Amino acid sequence: MKLHEYQAKEIFRRFEIPLPKGKVASSGDEAFQVARELKGPPWVVKAQVHAGGRGKGGGVKVVQTVEEVKKAATAILENPLVTKQTGPEGRRVHQVLIEEGVTIDREFYLAVVIDRARAQPVMIFSQAGGMEIEEVAARTPELVLKQFVDLKAGWMPYQGRNLAYAIDPLPGPEVLKELMAIMGKLYKVFITLDCSLAEINPLVITKDGKVMAIDAKITIDDNGLVRQKELAALDDPREKDPLEAKAIKHNLSYIRLNGNIGAMVNGAGLAMATMDVIKLAGAEPANFLDVGGGASEEMVTMGLEIILEDRNVKAILINIFGGILRCDVLARGVLAAAEKTAIKVPLIVRLEGTNVEEGRKILRESGLKFMVAKDIAEAAEMVTKQVSRSA
Ligand code: GDP
Ligand code: MN
C-alpha cells in the first residue's frame, strides 16, 4: 500500500526526520489560506498522487507569491498530471501539498528497501540525488552505495559512516552527523511500520547548512497491514487503477499491465506461464489474471468483464486447466460475460481437464465466435497473430 507524500511526511515528522513546514489543501482557495500561514517566498506546490517524476511533469511548482500558490494549486487540481509513471492519459490530482520553499545546495538519495536475494533490508545512498535512482544506477553505478542490514543487529552507526564519508566533496561535521542520524531514523521508520520502501529523494543540504527531506515516499507491505491498522486507514482508493479496484472487490487476483493481450487463467502458476508464453510468441500481456482454482461462474464472468473493460486489449486468451474449476463452469461464465458485453476482439480458448467435453460443447453451441487452441503454445501463437493482424 502506497502512502501520499504528505502522509509519509507526517510519519517522518513523528520520527524526527527534519522537513520543511507544510500543509495539504484540496482547492485553490484553501491552498491560498495555507500559504498565508506559512513562511515564504518561496512556496512549493506539490501534486499528491501515487506516481513519481512529478517535478518533470509539472506537478511541483516553486512560486514567489501567495496568489501564485493559488494559481499553481488550481492548475494542478484541474488538469490530469502526466509523468513518466502515469501513462499518457495522466492522473487526476485531488490534493496538493503547500510547503515553505528552501534553497537547495546539494541533493542526495536515501532509501531502505528489501533485498530479496539476500532476504535483508538494504540502505541505498547516493550523492547524485534528485534524479531517478534507476538512471543514476545505469549511468554511474559507482555513485550508488549500499549497506545491507543484519536484522538482529539492526542499523549500525559504522554503516552510516561507510555511506556518509564517501561523499565527495565531504560536507562539514555537523551536516555529516545529521545525515547519519537521518539514516538511523529512516531505518527505524522502515522496520517499525512494516515498509517495503522508505525513500527520501531528494534529501538536501540547504544553502544555510540544514539537512532536510524534501520528498518522501513510503510503501507499506500489504501483509503488514493487519498490525498497522492506523496506516491501513490512510489508504486512498482514488489512487487505485479502477479495474484493479473492481477485481479486489470480487476476490480476483488481477494486475493490469501494458500489453494488449488479455489473459484469463486459473492458477497463479499457470497465469505466469501463460504470460511467459505470450511474450515468447512476441506479444505483450495486458494483465495478470488468476480467477482462482475454485472460481464460480460469477467470478469467471467478472474476470472476463474486467478484461473487456481494458481498452488496450486487442485479443483475449482463455487458458484453463479444469480441476476444481470445471470446464463447464468456465464456459457458462464466459457466455454470461458475452451476453452482457459484446466481445469484439478475437477470443482464443484453450481448455483441458475436468468436464472439458461439456465445456467445449457449451461454447460451440452458444454461437459465440472463438478459436480453439490445442495447447498453450499454439494458443499464444494464435493470439499473437491476431494482434499483429489488427495492428
Ligand atoms: P518528484 O519529482 O515527484 O520526485 O518530486 P520531488 O518532491 O522530488 O520534487 C522534484 C524537485 O523539485 C526536487 O528534486 C527539487 O529539485 C525541486 N524542489 C522541491 N521542493 C523544493 C524547494 O523547496 N526549493 C527548491 N528550490 N526546489 C524544490
Ligand atoms: Mn522526488
Side-chain angles (χ1 to χ4, degrees):
M1 185 191 115
K2 288 180 179 173
L3 298 187
H4 281 299
E5 177 191 7
Y6 79 93
Q7 297 169 326
K9 280 182 166 167
E10 276 163 25
I11 290 168
F12 280 3
R13 207 162 269 129
R14 248 176 27 222
F15 285 77
E16 295 173 347
I17 293 173
L19 301 161
K21 235 183 175 176
K23 209 175 154 195
V24 80
S26 12
S27 71
D29 285 328
E30 202 184 334
F32 179 82
Q33 287 307 329
V34 166
R36 291 209 327 182
E37 288 158 25
L38 296 171
K39 231 176 36 223
W43 291 271
V44 186
V45 183
K46 308 183 79 177
Q48 298 298 288
V49 280
H50 291 177
R54 295 165 304 167
K56 282 184 194 149
V60 177
K61 298 246 167 70
V62 183
V63 297
Q64 302 302 327
T65 67
V66 284
E67 286 75 25
E68 282 179 284
V69 168
K70 180 173 168 173
K71 224 172 102 192
T74 308
I76 289 174
L77 290 166
E78 282 179 358
N79 302 296
L81 177 67
V82 180
T83 82
K84 238 177 153 178
Q85 296 183 12
T86 61
E89 70 283 0
R91 200 81 73 70
R92 270 215 57 190
V93 182
H94 302 279
Q95 287 165 304
V96 286
L97 175 63
I98 316 298
E99 283 187 335
E100 293 180 354
V102 300
T103 311
I104 298 171
D105 185 27
R106 296 178 75 176
E107 297 188 314
F108 302 119
Y109 176 93
L110 184 68
V112 187
V113 291
I114 296 288
D115 184 286
R116 289 179 184 273
R118 289 181 179 239
Q120 31 178 202
V122 56
M123 177 91 59
I124 303 171
F125 175 78
S126 177
Q127 71 173 67
M131 298 179 259
E132 277 160 80
I133 193 68
E134 292 84 357
E135 230 167 85
V136 180
R139 275 198 230 156
T140 45
E142 69 282 3
L143 290 183
V144 180
L145 308 180
K146 291 179 180 176
Q147 288 288 310
F148 296 95
V149 189
D150 182 298
L151 272 170
K152 286 204 201 78
W155 177 252
M156 302 293 275
Y158 81 87
Q159 298 188 291
R161 292 194 289 276
N162 283 349
L163 297 176
Y165 280 87
I167 300 172
D168 182 24
L170 198 64
E174 283 309 311
V175 166
L176 282 173
K177 209 171 123 196
E178 185 63 16
L179 279 173
M180 291 185 287
I182 291 171
M183 289 172 188
K185 289 170 186 173
L186 191 65
Y187 182 75
K188 205 165 155 200
V189 168
F190 181 86
I191 287 296
T192 317
L193 302 182
D194 290 316
C195 298
S196 57
L197 168 79
E199 184 191 78
I200 308 176
N201 186 29
L203 174 64
V204 307
I205 310 179
T206 64
K207 274 275 184 291
D208 45 7
K210 283 200 215 105
V211 183
M212 269 187 184
I214 289 293
D215 196 4
K217 199 181 270 179
I218 290 181
T219 308
I220 311 292
D221 185 332
D222 289 340
N223 293 316
L225 289 174
V226 281
R227 60 178 180 194
Q228 302 289 352
K229 296 246 156 53
E230 197 190 323
L231 296 175
L234 298 178
D235 186 34
D236 185 349
R238 293 174 299 193
E239 291 292 324
K240 286 209 178 70
D241 180 283
L243 295 183
E244 289 186 4
K246 196 165 173 179
I248 290 170
K249 230 168 66 194
H250 293 90
N251 277 322
L252 293 165
S253 305
Y254 169 89
I255 297 163
R256 196 171 186 175
L257 302 167
N258 294 326
N260 55 11
I261 299 198
M264 181 156 80
V265 188
N266 66 326
L270 189 58
M272 297 293 279
T274 304
M275 288 164 54
D276 282 348
V277 181
I278 289 172
K279 282 181 93 92
L280 199 62
E284 292 288 330
N287 64 278
F288 168 92
L289 171 58
D290 165 20
V291 290
S296 63
E297 190 183 314
E298 288 73 29
M299 282 169 80
V300 170
T301 305
M302 189 46 66
L304 193 51
E305 267 183 50
I306 289 172
I307 292 176
L308 289 167
E309 268 181 56
D310 182 346
R311 295 235 207 91
N312 293 333
V313 167
K314 295 288 177 273
I316 297 173
L317 169 54
I318 296 180
N319 186 21
I320 298 291
F321 191 85
I324 302 170
L325 165 61
R326 303 184 326 253
C327 292
D328 56 314
V329 172
L330 178 273
R332 284 194 198 95
V334 169
L335 290 193
E339 266 165 36
K340 271 206 226 161
T341 320
I343 303 180
K344 290 185 184 137
V345 295
L347 178 66
I348 285 94
V349 181
R350 182 257 177 177
L351 275 185
E352 273 314 330
T354 312
N355 291 2
V356 64
E357 285 314 322
E358 200 183 334
R360 287 192 182 139
K361 186 160 171 264
I362 292 169
L363 288 176
R364 223 184 303 121
E365 290 173 358
S366 68
L368 187 70
K369 262 177 64 186
F370 67 98
M371 288 167 262
V372 178
K374 66 174 191 309
D375 56 35
I376 174 171
E378 190 185 67
E381 297 277 331
M382 285 167 79
V383 87
T384 304
K385 212 173 279 165
Q386 290 302 321
V387 250
S388 51
R389 189 167 300 163
S390 73

